[in-house]
Structure formats: C-alpha cells, structure tokens
Amino acid sequence: MKRRGFLKLSAGAGIATGIGAGALIIGRAQATATGGQPLPLPPVLDLDAGGGALIEARAGRHAFYEGGAKGATLGYSLDYLGPVLRARRGTSARITLGNRHSDPITSHWHGLHVPGHLDGGPQSFVTPGGTLEQELEIDQPAGTYWYHTHTHHQTAEQAYMGLASFFLIEDPDAPDPGLPSELGVDDLPLAIQDKSFTRNGEIQYSSGGMAMMNGVKGEGIVVNGALRPVATVPGGLVRLRLLNGSNARIYHLFFEDGRGFHQVASEGGLLMAPVALNRLTLAPGERAEIVVDFAKGATRLLSANDNNAMMGGMMGGFMSSVMGGDDPDYVRGAEGFEILSFQIDPDRKPARTTLPRSFAGAPSGDLPEPVTRRRISLEMMGGMMGGGGGMMGGMMGGGGGDAAGPFSINGRPFDPNRIDVEARLNTTELWEIVTDGMAHPFHVHGTSFKVLSVDGQTKDFATTGFKDTVLVQQRAEILVPFNRPAGRDAPFMFHCHILEHEDNGMMGQMTVA
Ligand code: C2O
Ligand code: CU
Ligand code: CU
C-alpha cells in the first residue's frame, strides 16, 4: 500500500518539477517547429466480418514525435491505442479480449448499451495470459463511442500508457445523414490526449500529491498517438470525431482563424440538427462530432487554456502556485495551444460541400417520467475539511486505506463490495449531481442520459443530444434511463472521468434489475 504523507507530497512536487524540465524540451519544440508527422489513424476493424475479433492488451514501444526515441507503451493489439472498432446496429459483435500484459486489464465499452456482465468494468478483469469472450448485441444509435481499460486502481495509468481507442457504431437502417463519412479521408476520429515524456522518450506518469488531486496532465498534446500531427484533408466539409481521451485535461477547442463550425453529434449519436459553434468544451470521456469547412483553406485546431479554473474554484491560485500548478509553459499561452494542424489536398475532390439542415435519423429525446430522484455528491473537500480519512487526513496522516483514496461519492469512497444504487430495469431516474466546486466530468455506464441543466443553465436537448459524460462545476440534473440489466456480480459504475479521481474513490456501483 502506498503511504501518503505531507512530506511525500512536497517530494512529489519536486519530482514533478524535474520532469517538467525534461518535458519542456518537447514543449518548446512543439511551440516553435511544426508538429511533424502526418496524422495517424489506427487500423479499422469491422466487427461484423463474421469470425469475430481478437484484441490483446500488450506492451509496446512507440515514438510520439518524428525523430523521437521510442518509449514503453501499452495498446490493444497495437503498440499504442487499439484498432478503431466498427460495428453495425442490429448485429452482434464477437470480441475476444486477450491479455499479454503483466497486470490485469479490462476493456470497458464506454457509451455502449450492454448488460453489466459485458460492460468491461473492474469486475470483468482479464488476468495476464487470460482471455475473455464477449458477444455484444449492438442496438443503439450510430455514433462515436470508445473503449478503454478499467482495472481497479490502475485505470488512470493504464489508459495514460495507451489502453484506449474508438468504438464506432453505424446504423444501416437509419436515414443517411448526408455527412462526410470516408474514414481517414473526410471523416477523422481524433483521440486527443496529453502526455509528459522524459528526455529519452519514455512516458512519464506521475500521480503523487497534487497530480492526483487535480488529475494527471501532460505537457505534450498527442492526437492518435502523434504529437501535434498534420492532417491532410479535402477542401470541403470534413467531419472530426473528437474524443477527449485525456486523464484530466479539459479542452476548449477553437480554430486559429476563428472560423465557425457545426456540431452534428454528441456522445449518444446525431443531434436533431447541426449546431453552429465557435468554441467547444470537451472534458475527459466526452465526445463530439463536428463538421468543418476546409473550402476556407487550411488552419489549426487550438485549445484555450483555463484549466486552472478547476483549482481556482476551490482555493484560488494559492495552492496551485505553492504546489507548482498543473500547467506547463507550453499550455499557458494566452492564445491557446495547438492540438493539430490541417493542410488541404488540392487533388482530392470533396465529397460534401453543404451541410443538411436537420438529421431525420437523430434519436428523439423522449423518456418516461422519472420514478425516483437521487442526489449524487462528488467530493474531495468533505474529507479535506472534516479530517478523518479524507484528503488532508490522508495526506498528513498517511492513512486512507486501500480502497479509500481521498475522493468519495455521498461520503463514501468506492468499495467493490458495496452496491450504491439499485435501479429498476426499464425505468428512468432523475439524478442531481452536485460537486464541491471543482469541475468533475460525471459518467454513467450502460446508458445514455439527457441533460436537463448544468450549473444553473437549462439545457436544450436539441443542442446537447444524449450524453454519457457531463462536466459539472457545481450542480447538474440529468434524466437517466435504465434499459440494460446489471447484477451484483458485475454492476455498472458511475464515476468522475478524471481517471485519478475515479481510481482514488470517486466511483459508485449500480445494479439494474
Ligand atoms: Cu470511460 Cu467507467 O468509463
Ligand atoms: Cu463508461
Ligand atoms: Cu473528479
């Protein structure tokens, strides 16, 4: 068991500074030179091909930038990340998950409406050398979903090392939405992650003290495993399937030349109509599909930086500055930092030049009346102020216990032997999510929900669509339908998607029967 003391925390901050110095070399290179290599796209694996698919978690070696040294990574059948899995609604996807890594792993199908025993949560781990056969009935709207490891206490580090990728669902029976859809050409899945590296190219994952409190943020931005890549696109409409696959960093995305774009889908599939935007906030776990018009020429996708808001809300800049803060120079710039850049291929004729006005096949927001109202409180401050086994108690006293990190939900840190919520199958519940003032992306397994309000603002289903992860700074209300069963042996999780918070106790378990 890890001992957490206050001394350990300062030592951790010192180490973090050391890492910062090494990683800054990459940061500077990023800020000046072009990112370099072309945008990679993991191979696409069609799951309805008949025989089923085998994906194996394994160790790999991968260079994140051109000319860079290879460092140790993890992937599903790849050195880093995993294949883009693609399934069609109405079919069943047979997947064998193997584990050639030295620790237990899982593959959680984030956003998929599958029963608890197929959900890939912490209970469904695969031991080294083992395999797990699964058959997933695909019955939900077309959309951009994803998969990632969910091992008890190890999700954050394993995902940071690479155990994640896309899970795309298509619906052949739904009306054609008229969107760019040639994967790798005008339809680009973009897994956005941040990572720190040592001088010799090794991924640096450091989760002590403040890093655990704020979540681990890296200094380099990688897209599909490449540091600041360049995507070559046709000079027309291009669909970007954005996934925030970072452990903790929140992005506020915009284009360098200020051009507007349209959001066409959120986590649960198509919106009813395209929504015009200039900026899009994407928290860990969230996805959004946007359509950008490259008839306007090349540009860069940037993110504004206000990640300090997370700490700011809690105790001002004081702790951040004392502890060294969370953000390196590279991402502190006022104008924002680069995610990736685009260049136009003049020889490729765009397949789409106009956007439809609406999407006939979009899921309707109709849900039955809620049968229960529940309050879900995401906490780190409760323990911090109250002492005991909480945040400061844990740091100062070295206590905290094995399962109990400093984080909790409704006063109780995650316990794999406790069921926190018992929901009834085929009902809907109204959940009120409240926080301690720090922004937490709240996620529920096995369903997609409707967001009613966030931080005092009423949300319109037409602009949000169905979601499975929602960023809550203070308080949100969501309507959650329960249409897939989950028993006590493999309950659904609900948790904060800052993975260090999840691993350290901000997670609960739910049965649906
Ligand atoms: Cu994306 Cu419980 O996870
Ligand atoms: Cu999930
Ligand atoms: Cu959190």
Side-chain angles (χ1 to χ4, degrees):
M1 197 191 87
K2 259 192 296 183
R3 184 177 179 277
R4 289 192 200 96
F6 205 77
L7 280 174
K8 173 83 181 296
L9 175 64
S10 0
I15 290 164
T17 309
I19 292 159
L24 256 173
I25 293 167
I26 293 166
R28 287 219 188 89
Q30 274 191 294
T32 53
T34 168
Q37 70 271 54
L39 172 76
L41 179 68
V44 179
L45 190 56
D46 278 308
L47 294 175
D48 59 356
L54 169 68
I55 57 170
E56 291 181 304
R58 64 166 175 85
R61 295 194 69 75
H62 178 73
F64 287 83
Y65 54 103
E66 209 146 71
K70 286 187 176 182
T73 48
L74 292 176
Y76 292 108
S77 300
L78 297 175
D79 282 317
Y80 183 74
L81 300 178
V84 173
L85 301 180
R86 187 163 58 178
R88 284 194 298 172
R89 186 174 193 168
T91 66
S92 67
R94 286 174 49 212
I95 304 170
T96 301
L97 174 66
N99 183 6
R100 288 164 55 201
H101 181 44
S102 50
D103 282 319
I105 56 93
T106 87
S107 180
H108 163 55
W109 317 111
H110 180 132
L112 262 60
H113 303 176
V114 294
H117 69 278
L118 295 171
D119 174 68
Q123 276 85 353
S124 309
F125 63 88
V126 182
T127 49
T131 55
L132 179 66
E133 305 212 11
Q134 292 158 293
E135 188 160 341
L136 312 175
E137 298 289 330
I138 306 297
D139 185 15
Q140 66 188 93
T144 301
Y145 306 94
W146 65 304
Y147 64 104
H148 60 81
T149 186
H150 217 306
T151 317
H152 189 42
H153 286 321
Q154 296 182 68
T155 302
E157 183 162 8
Q158 289 184 348
Y160 198 82
M161 297 301 287
L163 287 181
S165 193
F166 286 93
F167 195 115
L168 307 182
I169 294 181
E170 298 185 339
D171 186 348
D173 297 326
D176 178 2
L179 292 170
S181 57
E182 201 179 333
L183 275 187
V185 176
D186 60 7
D187 182 352
L188 307 179
L190 303 177
I192 305 171
Q193 300 172 307
D194 58 339
K195 233 163 271 302
S196 291
F197 303 94
T198 64
R199 284 166 207 274
N200 47 14
E202 297 292 338
I203 292 178
Q204 190 68 58
Y205 182 80
S206 150
S207 64
M210 284 308 278
M212 181 183 66
M213 196 164 145
N214 284 340
V216 169
K217 292 179 191 161
E219 304 195 316
I221 306 297
V222 301
V223 181
N224 298 349
L227 200 68
R228 280 184 46 182
V230 185
T232 304
V233 293
L237 297 185
V238 173
R239 163 154 58 167
L240 305 179
R241 298 175 187 255
L242 305 168
L243 158 67
N244 184 343
S246 308
N247 282 27
R249 186 178 294 284
I250 299 167
Y251 300 93
H252 305 280
L253 302 168
F254 66 99
F255 289 94
E256 186 174 32
D257 61 1
R259 78 180 60 180
F261 53 91
H262 287 85
Q263 184 175 357
V264 296
S266 61
E267 286 127 40
L270 288 170
L271 302 178
M272 289 165 165
V275 175
L277 296 175
N278 288 304
R279 186 170 150 132
L280 174 75
T281 293
L282 210 60
E286 285 189 306
R287 288 90 63 212
E289 294 181 22
I290 65 172
V291 173
V292 191
D293 191 357
F294 285 99
K296 297 174 175 152
T299 186
R300 300 196 295 165
L301 181 65
L302 309 180
S303 173
N305 171 45
D306 77 354
N307 278 283
N308 292 331
M310 287 174 71
M311 283 305 293
M314 240 169 60
M315 50 188 108
F318 174 70
M319 283 289 270
S320 299
S321 51
V322 169
M323 302 300 187
D326 4 77
D327 283 330
D329 290 354
Y330 169 60
V331 294
R332 245 183 221 143
E335 338 66 55
F337 52 92
E338 181 179 321
I339 307 292
L340 80 164
S341 58
F342 295 89
Q343 68 185 26
I344 311 290
D345 178 355
D347 296 329
R348 188 173 284 272
K349 206 170 155 300
R352 305 271 177 187
T353 51
T354 57
L355 202 55
R357 270 165 207 252
S358 63
F359 302 116
S364 92
D366 298 338
L367 288 178
E369 286 295 305
V371 295
T372 318
R373 185 184 178 97
R374 247 181 244 279
R375 187 180 156 99
I376 308 275
S377 165
L378 310 177
E379 301 141 348
M380 53 197 286
M381 294 301 286
M384 191 163 180
M385 294 312 179
M391 179 90 208
M392 282 308 186
M395 281 181 178
M396 307 265 230
D402 175 49
F407 303 99
S408 58
I409 292 185
N410 293 346
R412 304 207 278 187
F414 177 72
D415 180 348
N417 299 311
R418 185 188 69 234
I419 299 298
D420 300 276
V421 168
E422 294 180 323
R424 274 198 291 134
L425 191 59
N426 298 322
T427 66
T428 300
E429 297 189 1
L430 196 149
W431 285 17
E432 180 189 16
I433 318 300
V434 295
T435 76
D436 45 29
M438 178 172 177
H440 300 282
F442 181 73
H443 168 55
V444 187
H445 284 209
T447 188
S448 306
F449 52 75
K450 189 170 163 178
V451 180
L452 303 180
S453 71
V454 178
D455 300 333
Q457 271 195 301
T458 303
K459 291 290 174 182
D460 179 5
F461 181 77
T463 63
T464 58
F466 276 113
K467 289 177 64 62
D468 55 53
T469 309
V470 61
L471 183 63
V472 188
Q473 175 94 49
Q474 274 147 10
R475 179 177 178 276
E477 285 187 317
I478 61 177
L479 260 185
V480 196
F482 301 104
N483 299 325
R484 298 292 186 275
R488 299 186 76 88
D489 50 336
F492 288 132
M493 304 292 129
F494 54 91
H495 59 89
C496 173
H497 220 287
I498 292 176
L499 297 179
E500 287 76 19
H501 293 181
E502 177 254 282
D503 270 346
N504 288 290
M506 199 179 279
M507 179 157 72
Q509 306 199 106
M510 168 176 73
T511 57
V512 178

